[in-house]
Amino acid sequence: MIRKIFLLTLALFSISGCQQSSEKTPSFKIFDAKELKFAVPTDSGCPAHWDNGNFYIFSSSRDATRLSGTDIFHLDQVLPVAWDIEKERSRWIEATYKAPDGTLYGWYHHEMGPICKERLPDKWFAAAIIGEGKSYDNGATWQDLGFTIQSDPNTYHCDTLNKYFPGGNGDFAVVNDQKNEYIYFFISTYGDFKEQGISVARMRYADLEKPVGKVYKWYNGKWQEPGLCGKVTPIFPAFKDWHGPSPDSFWGPSVHWNTYLKTYVMLLNRAIDPNWWQEGIYISFNKDLSNPQGWSKPLQVRKDGSWYPLVVGTDKKKEETDKLAGRRARYFEQGVSLWEIQFYKPGEKVK
């Protein structure tokens, strides 16, 4: 997403902060670590996978770049990715899934525009939309499989005060369940106020090859609305309207399965003004992806911080990634890691 990068003074905020463990909720603590920084700009989530002993991770800023090496600490290969179909705007690759047969599936954030041109002829506005692609060479080249998640254009707000979006669905995370029955999408939704925040959709695993029209959004307690132009019921609703003078909403989730906690962990941004100024980074937990209401109340990880928080597991033997991590992992913000994060089970003493 084309936005001003707010690289705040990272080292000043809550570096050794922690959330005290309770009887029911896992907890965490952040520790200082040697700097680890991607070689290219980062303006989205950074999905990763392993193949034949090699580690691959994607960093996007309008266009996507593939970094690779022997592990997260040794990314010495840098390659801009290519697509079979070019679009008016670029693709931010924000999620990937490596299938057992070796096919790499990926999901991208695209900004469709210009819109609102009749009312705002001098302003370039775009709406976020999500599409899927697949690759047979670990993401060097991609085949576009089409758009799969979009908001109803009737919910675009051309009179918005928001700097970037009059609406849309984007800035997301994707994770498959443990049985490979469904692929789950955790989406930032920017339409009408009642549908703003973090929403969820899913698609059957069997539909990976032909995804268009196969995604269904969670709405009013059911997976009943189409991914294309359907309604949503946010799991984390916006506190204040994205399109007003003082928005307040979670956005930009990243999700991983934590093998130590045996639960899913979600990190969230929280924006508090039309320029997307960052109030903080938050965390939530849920054991069951099929239960959208099962996510715990978000707790602050760090005050302020930078966009796109990410946990990346570092155990090579377990082939940990941004979607799989254990008790201790690297913690990133906008492609920079100055920390490790350690997780604690419910009731476990935080040290």
Side-chain angles (χ1 to χ4, degrees):
M1 191 180 301
I2 304 303
R3 306 188 184 111
K4 182 178 179 181
I5 307 300
F6 294 109
L7 284 175
L8 303 179
T9 309
L10 299 177
L12 294 180
F13 299 109
S14 305
I15 297 303
S16 61
C18 63
Q19 174 250 329
Q20 185 60 44
S21 178
S22 70
E23 293 183 359
K24 297 182 179 180
T25 306
S27 54
F28 58 88
K29 186 173 181 179
I30 293 177
F31 299 86
D32 291 334
K34 184 179 180 180
E35 182 184 51
L36 181 59
K37 183 178 181 180
F38 297 152
V40 294
T42 298
D43 190 32
S44 76
C46 295
H49 72 279
W50 287 88
D51 183 69
N52 196 30
N54 293 311
F55 182 81
Y56 299 88
I57 192 164
F58 296 88
S59 178
S60 300
S61 182
R62 285 184 59 95
D63 299 306
T65 300
R66 189 191 73 180
L67 310 172
S68 61
T70 55
D71 54 39
I72 187 67
F73 302 101
H74 302 92
L75 300 173
D76 53 1
Q77 301 294 320
V78 179
L79 177 70
V81 307
W83 290 82
D84 63 333
I85 302 173
E86 293 304 321
K87 283 185 165 57
E88 179 183 343
R89 298 284 281 174
S90 299
R91 301 171 182 85
W92 289 254
I93 297 178
E94 299 200 338
T96 57
Y97 167 70
K98 187 67 178 290
D101 68 359
T103 304
L104 182 67
Y105 295 92
W107 292 268
Y108 60 85
H109 167 111
H110 173 66
E111 297 181 6
M112 178 176 288
I115 60 175
C116 301
K117 211 57 176 167
E118 292 182 1
R119 295 181 60 180
L120 301 169
D122 298 326
K123 188 173 181 63
W124 207 104
F125 252 150
I129 188 171
I130 297 170
E132 183 183 327
K134 70 175 179 179
S135 172
Y136 298 112
D137 55 11
N138 286 305
T141 59
W142 291 85
Q143 175 186 346
D144 195 318
L145 300 180
F147 294 131
T148 58
I149 299 177
Q150 179 182 6
S151 62
D152 185 342
N154 292 320
T155 64
Y156 297 163
H157 291 253
C158 293
D159 58 350
T160 185
L161 298 179
N162 193 283
K163 184 176 181 180
Y164 302 106
F165 294 142
N169 296 167
D171 297 313
F172 61 95
V174 179
V175 63
N176 59 303
D177 63 24
Q178 298 295 298
K179 296 181 180 180
N180 280 342
E181 292 180 339
Y182 289 97
I183 305 291
Y184 286 84
F185 303 82
F186 296 91
I187 316 156
S188 305
T189 46
Y190 304 116
D192 292 335
F193 177 60
K194 64 181 180 180
E195 296 191 20
Q196 292 173 13
I198 303 297
S199 302
V200 61
R202 73 180 186 184
M203 173 182 71
R204 290 188 179 277
Y205 184 87
D207 292 325
L208 271 169
E209 278 290 317
K210 296 181 179 180
V212 178
K214 303 298 178 59
V215 176
Y216 288 90
K217 295 173 176 175
W218 190 71
Y219 176 69
N220 282 347
K222 297 180 180 179
W223 306 96
Q224 61 179 358
E225 285 289 306
L228 295 171
C229 302
K231 298 179 180 179
V232 295
T233 299
I235 56 175
F236 296 124
F239 303 107
K240 295 182 181 179
D241 193 345
W242 269 111
H243 305 297
S246 55
D248 186 351
S249 182
F250 292 119
W251 70 280
S254 64
V255 180
H256 78 272
W257 170 255
N258 193 280
T259 56
Y260 181 71
L261 300 176
K262 291 183 170 50
T263 194
Y264 293 94
V265 180
M266 181 188 295
L267 295 178
L268 301 154
N269 300 288
R270 185 176 179 179
I272 54 170
D273 84 346
N275 292 320
W276 301 59
W277 188 260
Q278 184 88 328
E279 185 272 345
I281 307 293
Y282 286 75
I283 195 167
S284 178
F285 305 93
N286 186 0
K287 290 184 177 293
D288 183 5
L289 292 177
S290 68
N291 178 17
Q293 295 176 310
W295 290 94
S296 62
K297 179 180 178 180
L299 298 168
Q300 191 177 82
V301 177
R302 283 186 2 101
K303 178 178 172 59
D304 300 301
S306 293
W307 295 338
Y308 307 112
L310 185 73
V311 168
V312 179
T314 59
D315 191 323
K316 294 177 63 173
K317 292 183 179 180
K318 296 180 179 178
E319 295 192 336
E320 293 182 340
T321 63
D322 66 306
K323 296 171 283 292
L324 182 71
R327 185 179 191 188
R328 194 152 178 149
R330 291 297 299 222
Y331 171 76
F332 286 82
E333 292 177 10
Q334 208 155 38
V336 179
S337 174
L338 302 176
W339 318 274
E340 291 183 335
I341 185 169
Q342 183 160 311
F343 295 98
Y344 298 83
K345 295 177 180 178
E348 186 176 4
K349 185 177 180 180
V350 177
K351 299 179 180 180

